[in-house]
Amino acid sequence: MDVFFQQLVNGLTVGSLYALIALGYTMVYGILKIINFAHGDILMIGTFIGLVLVMNFHLAFVPALLLAMFITALMGILVERLAYRPVRAADKLIALLSALGVSIFLVNFAQLVWGTETHPFPVNISGEPIILGEVHIGTLQIWALGVSLLLMVGLHFFVNHTKMGVAMRATSFNVDYARLMGINVDNIISITFAIGSALAAAAGILIGVYYDAVYPVMGYSAGLKAFTAAVLGGIGSIPGAMLGGLLLGVLENEGAAYLSSGYKDAIAFALLIIILLIKPTGLMGRREQQKV
Amino acid sequence: GGDEKNSTENKSASDAGKEIRVGVAGPFTGAIAETGTTIKNAVLLAEEQINQAGGINGKQVKLDLQDDKADPKEAAAVANKFASDKSILAVVGHYTSSTTLAGAPIYNRVGLPHIGIGCTSPAITSAGPYTYRVLTSDAYDGEYVANWMIEEGFKNIAVAYENDDYGKGLADVFKAKIESLNGKVVAMEPYNLGETKDFSAILTKFKAAKPDSLFIAGQYNEAAMLLKQGKGIGFKLPVFGSNGLYSDALIKLGGADVEGLKCVGSFHQSAPSQEAKDFIAAYKAKYNQEPDIWAAYAYDAANILFAAIKNGGEDREKINEYLTTLKDFKGATGVTTFDENGDCMKEPLKLVIQNGKFELYIK
Amino acid sequence: MEHLARFTLNYRNKAVSLVFMILLALIPLFIANDYYIHVLITLGLFIILSLSLNLVSGYTGQLSIGHAAFYGIGAYVTALLMLKLNLSFLVAIPIGGLVTAFFGLLLGLPTMRLAGDYLAIVTLGFGEIVRLVLLNWDKVTRGPMGLPGIPAPELGSYVFMSKIPYYYTVFIIVLITVATMRRIVNSGFGLSLIAISQDELAAEAVGINTLRCKIISFIISAFFAGIAGGFFAVYISFVSPDSFTFMDSIMVLEMVVLGGLASIPGSIIGAVVLGLIPEILRFMAEYRMLIFGALMVVIVIFKPDGFWSAKKRMRNAIMKDLAARKMIDTKTVSPRGEYIEGA
Amino acid sequence: MLELKNVMVNYGVIPALKSISFKVEEGEIVTLIGANGAGKSTILKAICGLIKLKGGAITYQGDTISGMGAHLIIRRGISQVPEGRGIFANLTVEENLGLGAYVRKDKAEINRNLKVVYDRFPRLFERRKQVGGTLSGGEQQMLAIGRALMAAPKLLLLDEPSMGLAPLVVKEIFKIIKEINQTGTTILLVEQNARMALSVANRGYVMETGQIISHGTARELRDNEDVKKAYLGH
Amino acid sequence: MNILKVLDIDSVTIRFGGLEAIRDVSFAVDEGELLAIIGPNGAGKTTIFNAMTGIYRPTQGNILFKGQLINGLKPNQLVLKGIARTFQNIRLFSALTVLENVMVGWQCRSREGLWGALAGGKRVAVNRVEAINQCREYIEMVGLADLMEELATNLPYGKQRLLEIARALATGCNLLLLDEPAAGMNALEREELISLIRHISKNLRKTIILIEHDINLVMNISERIVVLDHGEKIAEGTPGEIRTNQKVIEAYLGSEDPLEQEVV
Ligand SMILES: Nc1ncnc2c1ncn2[C@@H]1O[C@H](COP(=O)(O)OP(=O)(O)OP(=O)(O)O)[C@@H](O)[C@H]1O
Ligand SMILES: Nc1ncnc2c1ncn2[C@@H]1O[C@H](COP(=O)(O)OP(=O)(O)OP(=O)(O)O)[C@@H](O)[C@H]1O
Ligand SMILES: [Mg+2]
Ligand SMILES: [Mg+2]
């Protein structure tokens, strides 16, 4: 049972980080209907920015986190301007390719600047772990869980209860109709990218600190998992992304403990497929009602 | 990719006779590019030294560096490139077992001798008559560490291994030996090189199995992360490792959490031999840093090939004939002899991390 | 050869294409460099892969980002058959294709309930699961160590030693793939596939069994990817799970999309261009992939319809074919070069 | 109030509007009638800045608005009920209506306006929590008009508001158009139902293949033999 | 009793969550008949079409086609049985040409299959020629002969509706369901549409069910009318009967004279 609870804690920790990244996928998908394959790499750059701020500029953790989120948000806007806006009218697959191009570019850029090796992220978030029986809950885990939940709740409120949020959802349905409402669609899209990228930077830094490892291809697996989580929860749905992330984290960690750690990811994907077959729009995805 | 000044892109037929060309295949980019860099440094040093000494038979040596990214598919492509370039006489590489196994059939098909520098899988023993390596097989190392741990009095051992030729081969041999010595492997968990970052599941399982010590059969990156994450959930044990852990990067990444770790290797800064001392001095002079074990292996591999070209002849077949009979080659990593399978026979060193440095282990 | 040519070519461009094919067949006589031939063989493999994915993702409109799984299954089945049962590559590769086709059927089934990006994630999941099984089922696959030493193909007493026989083998497989794909997409069945990609509900409402069509297109697609995988295994003589990753799937999709969706020449061009760029950029060493990434963005911005012009996309050539054979009226030709019924 | 001068629009290389010029004066109802594909909807899109002009200019209240971003044009008090209704299928009826007032800031006024819309279309009030995508065609049309009214526009562009509506509702809608106009909103009405359109309009323009072929007061057009034959039926 | 009925709707109810879009509706259509369904917006007209074509499944009740229960069959199966339709919101294959759109409709009659396509040969080619010629006839019938090679997406709205009709006919149906075919057409086009529908009904002897808001058109061509309101059938009868039915006037027509359309 100790193993079960320890893995539950571990699963919730990673899960909340998946969820945070998944939100970025979901928001961009919601609005542009493209899977932003560069999202994971934006996360990676954000993490490196955080690392540079801590190591070279000697900022404390929280200011570094916030500043990195801000810089990454700007970078998200820039990426959207350069790589997505020009192909917005084209086939969705074209935008997907553009995203892939950005992804490849960012990874190799990071490799040139910071090398291919793994860097430690030496942040001292000290404090003794909470020990319940044999279960350890690290300070970092509490941090990761706390920060992600806070950001998620904030985002949920923003999207559902503000005028900008409704405008965002309107834009996600149809850009031209949104324009006719007087919505500045370009701004809305920029804001979406900014928020998604900032959340990714936050998640990336927490991941970097949690595993004490920052490296250029870190966005790949984080991105893949988060994307899976977003679909699991119902892509386009914000609560879905949270649920999907947490669920994925817990399931794969319990799966790794009780089945085989080698098949850990396979378990996650098999579950995803089964859930989608039962509920084709993910756990919380609203079916886009299409009347004929 | 190949370093521009060293790889010769345009070799016309007339050049071919004026210089000696040797291929080097290593992980110059990718997950273990740090190792790739030291390999590159070492072979370039060997190249510089031999050319300053007048080259081979009066001809300058030109290395052709190709990146296999530690990826077997890339390795096959690189092997194909070398195999089809008739002016390449021999190859240093590859580094990992998987890449060596991917390249070996291609080299053996065209009769191109190559010397592996990090590949310790037992499978390489039978890879082919043109395949050699400058380090011992895991079958040998695994048993060696198993003996060592039993000698130190450990009985219930957890094993974390890299899920590939290297780690798995090592872990299997290790487990068999431990059991034959009446020890017990209480848990054995794989992880993937360059992919696994979250060791919490593995650690939680280890913790539940209550071992008295841990053996890591893998590379330094993962070992550092494993131990650091272990601290977070209150898992701290005496740790032993394979030669994959023997890199300063382990200490850089792991910091205090790898203090006291013990592992094997066949090269150390304070090694007694003159060859080792000379190599360390030259490497430091050129790169202003300490060479690691892979640099030493790569350096030896390059020099063995230079010797083979000089003594055997400028011909793939003749080089191979020379290598099959290589005996007592004195290099930075000790004395190398190839057996009939192209396997290397040499005694490893016992090492321990003390005060943030690898030291020779003295009981 | 003549027969194959007839099978492969459409009637209109017969002469031009025939000359082109003969030139391709003669290449090894002109280029003695093994490296170049290796690159050509790789391009051949890319062409088969992109053509096969094009059927599912281009024509039928089912986004698949797990295509490398088929490639991998074909490669492993072929490798195992040759290593364990000592089968000839002539038998092993087709069996590999058939086994892969069965997995195509499996992956086609979810299209019953899923479409678009949800289907895409299932294909991604499938791809990852296949890779993880290859990685972890080590009793059969040797896990991450892969299967080395796949024997060189033999035809009677002739053993493939140089690259040239491989070149011709892949050349023939490419020709067969092109010919088959041509016949499929330029048929009534192919028209149904395009209809499904345009509006599935409408297609169903005019009597098309959409599920059956989608599954068949997955089966055919998987079959050819499996064949490509089998050839890859034989050619490289080594297979390991990391040759069949998500990134490989994405690369193939890229070829299809950049070439121009639902276009056979497009897929071929896409495969050739995207296959060549990294080779050409090899001299740039560390900057190679950086430039490749940037180039991709630039290409899609300036060629958002793919390399093959948009006007030629999504067209079914039944009419063109029949017109060329003088079986239907071709009195008037519209400015776009399409046949209009003679008044 | 609104003036188009030699407006040209292309879709790709195909010209959809070939030098269109017309005027709408403050307080008028002006109708554009014409066959399918004549370019009526294209004109409305061009006015709102949804498509770029190839030539010519559009002025509104004396300022040139062509070339401006759509959101800036809408902010000046132009509102459109687009062809095909343009309902946000993923948003509830209430959220759709709320977006109509996106550019407005006066909360109290907006709420009053909302009540007016619900009074006019009680069906919308019944379904205010239903998502727009599941409404019937007619309900969607009501929602689209209601939403446009939420902007309290000075100039309202209507693209075929009667399409797919029951006769009862059609009449109702035209009555509402008239009423809206009487409260001071200028209206540019695109219609297939030329008979109805000319019955409410002050003036009309007749279009064919991207050009205006005739214009006049509603009565003149109704009496025009060609117009009668092509658009009014017998 | 059902022998002559082509279609029999038997106490059908369709619910969406809590919403009852159709409540206990019954009516039948005779062979060769031209029946119209009218009713206010949201009455459930399109919904009942969707149930007849397998897009929705009735929550309760039965739908019989030529005496056979067809609840729960899939749309493509129903096409094979002989039911085809057009859509209220046009759904063409926009990147295909007019001729190709119609040929897609014809596919369900093709015997070529995948093997035929792969084998090729003279016979396949002859079959294709035959198919093309038949499809061309349908296109000529709806009056799009000069647009044969135009992409569907480039057609004006009214012509797209005609193309949908041609595509439906190409399936070889004997029951044709038309959902607001006149929407978006001008007076001239409407007249042409009327004669087309008459032609399909009289000369091709197809049974037709028509949803339409253009009361003139409905009164003009239908033989019988079913009126729905709020998911329920409120009237059924000849155009003459419906025109004077008080319930229908209240719910739908809005005044004694439905032809009176002036407002001012
Ligand atoms: N997005 C587009 N791309 C290409 N051509 C278009 C596009 N939209 C409209 N067209 C073409 O431009 C012309 C004018 O179209 P428009 O929609 O303005 O006509 P309309 O008068 O509103 O017709 P309708 O009564 O059918 O709504 C038509 O020939 C149409 O086919
Ligand atoms: N898929 C669905 N989910 C929820 N409600 C639906 C769905 N389809 C239809 N409805 C509802 O059922 C009712 C009937 O819709 P239907 O489309 O059949 O109306 P209609 O008679 O065709 O109207 P119109 O003349 O406006 O097209 C409407 O209130 C609509 O909102
Ligand atoms: Mg219009
Ligand atoms: Mg309807």
Side-chain angles (χ1 to χ4, degrees), chain E residues 158-199:
Chain E
K159 304 220 151 127
Q160 293 194 357
R161 291 215 174 272
L162 295 173
L163 176 54
E164 273 214 335
I165 296 176
R167 186 179 70 180
L169 286 173
T171 63
C173 60
N174 38 46
L175 172 61
L176 180 62
L177 310 179
L178 303 174
D179 197 346
E180 298 197 25
M185 288 190 177
N186 62 32
L188 215 62
E189 290 169 325
R190 274 170 207 237
E191 259 153 49
E192 284 165 15
L193 177 71
I194 290 174
S195 47
L196 172 65
I197 295 177
R198 284 224 172 90
H199 174 75

Side-chain angles (χ1 to χ4, degrees), chain B residues 72-73 80 84 163 165 168, chain C residues 34 138 144-145 163 238 248:
Chain B
K73 193 175 32 162
N80 268 312
S84 62
N163 195 5
D165 273 290
K168 187 155 190 331
Chain C
D34 274 2
D138 42 19
M145 294 164 261
K163 302 226 179 275
F238 171 77
D248 295 281

